[in-house]
Amino acid sequence: MRFARRIASAVFGPVPVSRDGAVGVSERLAAVTTLTSSIEYLSQRKELRKGGLNDWDIVKDVQAASTPLVRKALHAVSGRRTTTALHVARAAVSAGMLLPGSSRWRGAGSLFLGTTSALLYPRHRYGTDGSDQVAILVQTATGAARLVKSPEAKDALIWYVALQSSLSYAVSGWVKLLGEPWRDASALGGIMRTRTYGHEPMFRWTQDNPRLSRYLTHSVLALECLFPLVYLAGGRLARPVITSAAAFHVTNGFLMGLGRFVSSFVAMHPMVAYTATHRGHPAVAGRDNRAPLTAASLLAGAAAVAGVVAVQRRLRTLEGWHTTRTLTTRNGNELQYEVMSQGDADKPVMVFAAGMVATSEHFSWVTEKLAKETGYGVVTYARAGYAGSRRESGAAYTLAESVDDLVDLVGTVSPERRVILVGHSLGGELARRAALQLGERVHGVVYLDSSHPDELNRSKQQSDTAKRLSESLTQMVWFLRAGTGILMSRPIWVDALPEAYRKKAFAQYTDVRMWDAGRREWAAVEADFRAFEGELEPLDTHALVVSAQQTVDRDPDQLLMHNELAEAHRGDGRRTEVVVIEGADHDTVLTQSRFAHQVTERIVAFCDAGPRTDATTDEHEGAAK
C-alpha cells in the first residue's frame, strides 16, 4: 500500500517550481529556440538574396497595409547585412542566456531576443512558424519579469504566459475536433504521408495498426482539449499533463522535423507548473493569484462587448436597406430584394444572383453603374438564410429550392417584362437552372465566373478543395457561434466595395447566418454536382460568359466548362460570347472597381447588341481582355 501511494504521489502530484526557477528555466528554453532559429537562418542566407524565398523586394509587399512607421522599422532591419548582423547578435545573446545566473541583465537579453524576433518575423515570411511566436511571448514576459522588482508583477507576467499556454492547447484541440479527419482518426496518417511533415515509417505504422493509431490520435485530441485541467485538484494533474505535452512535442520534433517546437512550447511548461501548484506548497508561498481573476473579469467584459457588437451587426444584417422589399416564395421562404432601378418599359430587367457565402453587395459596382447609366431594370436579392432573408422551409435543402425561389422572385419583380439573369459563381448555376424553368421569359443569361455542375467530377483542383471547404465552413459556423465575430478583421474585398455598402457587407460577413447558409448550400452542391452526368440542357436564350483570368489560368478545365455554358445557348438567332477579364480572380472580378467596370461594360455592350442571324458568327469571339 505504501508503495502504491508513492507511485500515485510521483504520478499525481504538483511540480514544485519556484518563481525564479520558473523564469530561469523558461528563459533558457526560449533562448534555445532563438539560437536554433538564428543558426538556421544564417545557414540559409541565400534565401535572402534576389530571387530567394525571402527576397525583401518581394516580401515587403505583404506589409503594404501596415502603418508607415512599421514599414520603416521593418525596412531598417531587412537589409541582408543588417539581417545577418542581427542573427549573429541573437545567436551570441542566446548562447549567453544558457549560462548560469539570475542577473537582471538577463531580462535585457530576453527582451532583446523577443524584440528582434518580432522585427525579423515579417522578414522571414517563409520559414517562420508557431515556435517563433511562442518564443516571442516567453521572452518578452521573462525579460519583463527579470526587470520588475515587484513579486506581484512577476507573478502576473508568469500567469500571463501560463494562461496563454493553456489557451493555445485548448483552442488547438477544439479546432481539431471540428475537423472530420481528427474525429475519424485519419488525420495522423494523413500528416505522416505528406512530404513536408511526413515520416514514412510512422505512416506505415498507422496503416498497419489502425486501432492503435485511432487511440493515439484521440489521445492527442484529449490532451489538447483538456489541457486546462492541469489547474484542477490542487495541481495533482500537473505532472501527467505537462509530461504528456512535453512528450508530444518531442515526438513531433522527431517525426515531423519540428525541432524548435520542442524548446519553444516546453518553455511555457515551467510557468504552468508554478501557477498550477497549490498555493500552500512551500515552493510557491506568497504567489499572487489575482491575474486569473482579472483575466476572467476582462474575458467576461469582452464577452459582453462582443455580444452587443454581434447584436448590432445582426440587426444591420436583418434590416436590409430602407427600400428593401420582401417576398414569400412557394417554399415558404421570405426573401429580401431590392429594385435598384425600374428601367425602361421596353428593356429587360436584370436580376442578380450572388455566389455561395457572398452578399448581394458584391455586385454593387456593377449594379450601381447599371442602375444609374442604363435603361435596364436592376434587381438584387438575398437567398434564404442570407442577409434578412429567412429560410422557413421544413424540407431538406436542395438547389432546386433556391431555383424555385429565384423563379418566384422573377414572377414578382417582372410579371410582364423579360429578364436577364446575372449570376456569379453558384449564382450562375442557379440562374441557368431558373432559365430552364422560365423559358421564353428569359432574354439572356450572364455567367460571371460561374460554377458548372460537372466541375467536381472534371476538375481535380475543385474536387481536392471540396472537403477542405466543408471543414472551413463548419469551423467558421462554430467560431461565430462562440461569439468570435468581433475578432474578425475586415477582409480586403469589403474595403474594395463602394463606401456605402461596406458596413452592411461586413455585418453579414461576421454573422453566423451567412456561413450557416453557405454550409447548407455547399452540402447540397457537393451532392448535386458529384451526381451530374451527361451534358448541359440547351437553352433558347442569349448568353454572356465572363471568366476571371486567374480562375482559368489556375484551372484550365474551368475555361473548357465555361465554353460549354456558352455552347448550351448557341443556335440560330441567339447571341453567345465568352470573355476573359485580364488580371481578375474569382472575387475581384466583382469587388475591384476596375474589373467590375469592365464587366459592366461587357454586359451593357452584349445586351444592347441585336441578336445574331448568321449561325457561323455565333462562335467564340476570343478571350477579350
Side-chain angles (χ1 to χ4, degrees):
M1 183 65 71
R2 183 176 300 176
F3 179 74
R5 286 181 186 152
R6 287 181 179 177
I7 295 295
S9 177
V11 175
F12 298 102
V15 184
V17 181
S18 67
R19 179 186 297 119
D20 290 339
V23 171
V25 176
S26 291
E27 69 185 3
R28 286 174 173 83
L29 287 170
V32 171
T33 303
T34 308
L35 177 61
T36 305
S37 65
S38 285
I39 291 175
E40 287 180 357
Y41 293 135
L42 287 171
S43 66
Q44 299 171 1
R45 281 185 297 164
K46 63 180 182 180
E47 302 299 349
L48 303 178
R49 298 171 187 160
K50 191 171 185 62
L53 281 176
N54 287 308
D55 180 353
W56 181 243
D57 289 336
I58 299 174
V59 174
K60 67 181 180 181
D61 293 341
V62 179
Q63 305 300 322
S66 301
T67 64
L69 182 61
V70 170
R71 291 200 302 272
K72 283 183 177 296
L74 293 177
H75 187 72
V77 301
S78 295
R80 276 181 289 168
R81 291 183 179 180
T82 305
T83 301
T84 300
L86 281 174
H87 280 303
V88 170
R90 280 158 51 83
V93 172
S94 297
M97 294 292 295
L98 300 178
L99 299 176
S102 57
S103 166
R104 295 184 69 190
W105 283 104
R106 299 179 68 84
S110 287
L111 289 177
F112 169 78
L113 295 177
T115 302
T116 52
S117 292
L119 284 172
L120 291 170
Y121 192 87
R123 179 67 177 95
H124 299 289
R125 178 172 174 80
Y126 299 101
T128 52
D129 50 39
S131 64
D132 297 287
Q133 297 175 356
V134 174
I136 293 171
L137 170 69
V138 173
Q139 286 164 342
T140 51
T142 56
R146 284 290 189 192
L147 295 176
V148 298
K149 295 182 179 180
S150 167
E152 292 81 5
K154 293 179 186 290
D155 285 341
L157 290 164
I158 293 173
W159 268 111
Y160 172 68
V161 174
L163 293 175
Q164 285 278 13
S165 176
S166 293
L167 183 64
S168 66
Y169 283 113
V171 170
S172 176
W174 287 102
V175 169
K176 287 185 175 73
L177 193 60
L178 294 176
E180 185 178 344
W182 283 94
R183 295 198 303 272
D184 65 19
S186 62
L188 180 59
I191 295 171
M192 290 298 106
R193 72 182 298 180
T194 62
R195 180 172 297 178
T196 304
Y197 297 114
H199 189 269
E200 186 177 351
M202 185 61 182
F203 169 68
R204 290 198 301 268
W205 181 87
T206 63
Q207 304 308 297
D208 295 338
N209 303 274
R211 180 174 295 183
L212 292 177
S213 176
R214 185 180 302 111
Y215 290 151
L216 182 58
T217 304
H218 290 164
S219 295
V220 171
L221 270 180
L223 170 65
E224 293 188 328
C225 291
L226 303 178
F227 189 89
L229 295 182
V230 71
Y231 288 101
L232 296 184
R236 291 185 179 88
L237 299 176
R239 200 180 298 271
V241 171
I242 291 176
T243 301
S244 299
F248 168 69
H249 291 301
V250 170
T251 303
N252 282 347
F254 174 73
L255 295 178
M256 301 174 65
L258 299 173
R260 277 188 278 164
F261 274 66
V262 178
S263 55
S264 62
F265 279 88
V266 173
M268 298 189 289
H269 292 172
M271 299 191 179
V272 173
Y274 172 71
T275 54
T277 301
H278 192 276
R279 195 179 182 189
H281 196 286
V284 297
R287 185 187 64 210
D288 189 283
N289 288 335
R290 286 177 293 178
L293 296 176
T294 302
S297 300
L298 292 174
L299 182 61
V305 172
V308 172
V309 171
V311 169
Q312 289 177 333
R313 289 175 175 172
R314 171 63 62 84
L315 292 175
R316 181 176 284 119
T317 295
L318 295 176
E319 69 181 355
W321 300 89
H322 68 281
T323 55
T324 292
R325 308 179 189 185
T326 60
L327 158 72
T328 301
T329 70
R330 74 186 78 172
N331 296 303
N333 297 330
E334 185 178 289
L335 302 186
Q336 282 187 347
Y337 66 95
E338 292 289 326
V339 179
M340 299 184 66
S341 170
Q342 293 285 354
D344 299 336
D346 60 342
K347 284 191 173 183
V349 175
M350 294 188 184
V351 180
F352 286 78
M356 188 182 68
V357 194
T359 73
S360 60
E361 285 73 23
H362 274 73
F363 294 113
S364 54
W365 286 115
V366 177
T367 53
E368 283 279 340
K369 192 173 182 66
L370 288 171
K372 293 177 180 177
E373 300 179 11
T374 73
Y376 292 98
V378 178
V379 175
T380 63
Y381 79 107
R383 285 197 299 279
Y386 291 83
S389 296
R390 303 179 186 276
R391 183 174 187 266
E392 303 294 346
S393 174
Y397 176 78
T398 64
L399 293 185
E401 179 183 312
S402 290
V403 174
D404 290 342
D405 286 352
L406 177 53
V407 170
D408 291 349
L409 175 69
V410 169
T412 298
V413 301
S414 184
E416 298 178 356
R417 293 160 61 186
R418 301 182 76 189
V419 296
I420 297 172
L421 300 179
V422 185
H424 173 243
S425 192
L426 176 61
E429 175 59 14
L430 297 178
R432 186 186 70 84
R433 298 188 186 193
L436 289 169
Q437 290 191 32
L438 290 166
E440 62 182 16
R441 295 283 314 283
V442 179
H443 178 72
V445 180
V446 177
Y447 301 93
L448 302 179
D449 216 38
S450 176
S451 300
H452 185 289
D454 205 23
E455 64 186 27
L456 296 185
N457 298 324
R458 291 168 54 183
S459 169
K460 185 178 185 302
Q461 183 183 93
Q462 291 286 343
S463 182
D464 289 345
T465 58
K467 193 168 186 178
R468 293 197 297 271
L469 177 58
S470 179
E471 293 175 1
S472 297
L473 291 172
T474 298
Q475 289 177 5
M476 284 298 299
V477 168
W478 284 103
F479 289 159
L480 291 172
R481 284 179 179 171
T484 60
I486 194 173
L487 302 177
M488 297 176 69
S489 57
R490 284 182 26 155
I492 295 175
W493 66 264
V494 169
D495 286 328
L497 296 177
E499 187 173 359
Y501 293 85
R502 294 173 188 172
K503 284 186 177 180
K504 192 168 290 296
F506 185 54
Q508 295 179 54
Y509 177 75
T510 58
D511 188 86
V512 70
R513 295 178 72 256
M514 183 176 81
W515 297 93
D516 205 17
R519 182 174 62 165
R520 178 175 61 244
E521 289 182 344
W522 176 243
V525 166
E526 192 166 19
D528 186 294
F529 282 19
R530 291 202 186 280
F532 180 82
E533 294 179 351
E535 299 180 353
L536 297 175
E537 302 94 323
L539 290 97
D540 189 14
T541 68
H542 307 304
L544 170 63
V545 181
V546 178
S547 302
Q549 182 192 10
Q550 293 190 39
T551 296
V552 297
D553 282 353
R554 286 195 298 263
D555 188 0
D557 288 325
Q558 289 285 17
L559 182 57
L560 295 175
M561 288 184 279
H562 286 178
N563 281 323
E564 288 180 10
L565 291 174
E567 188 66 33
H569 291 261
R570 286 203 171 95
D572 291 341
R574 296 196 291 272
R575 180 179 176 82
T576 61
E577 184 178 346
V578 178
V579 178
V580 177
I581 303 299
E582 183 177 331
D585 64 26
H586 186 65
D587 291 320
T588 58
V589 73
L590 293 181
T591 58
Q592 288 287 342
S593 60
R594 65 190 181 99
F595 298 139
H597 287 160
Q598 291 180 52
V599 169
T600 308
E601 290 168 2
R602 300 302 308 198
I603 292 175
V604 172
F606 179 80
C607 294
D608 283 351
R612 297 284 180 86
T613 56
D614 181 358
T616 62
T617 62
D618 280 355
E619 297 303 316
H620 171 50
E621 293 190 355
K625 307 299 187 194

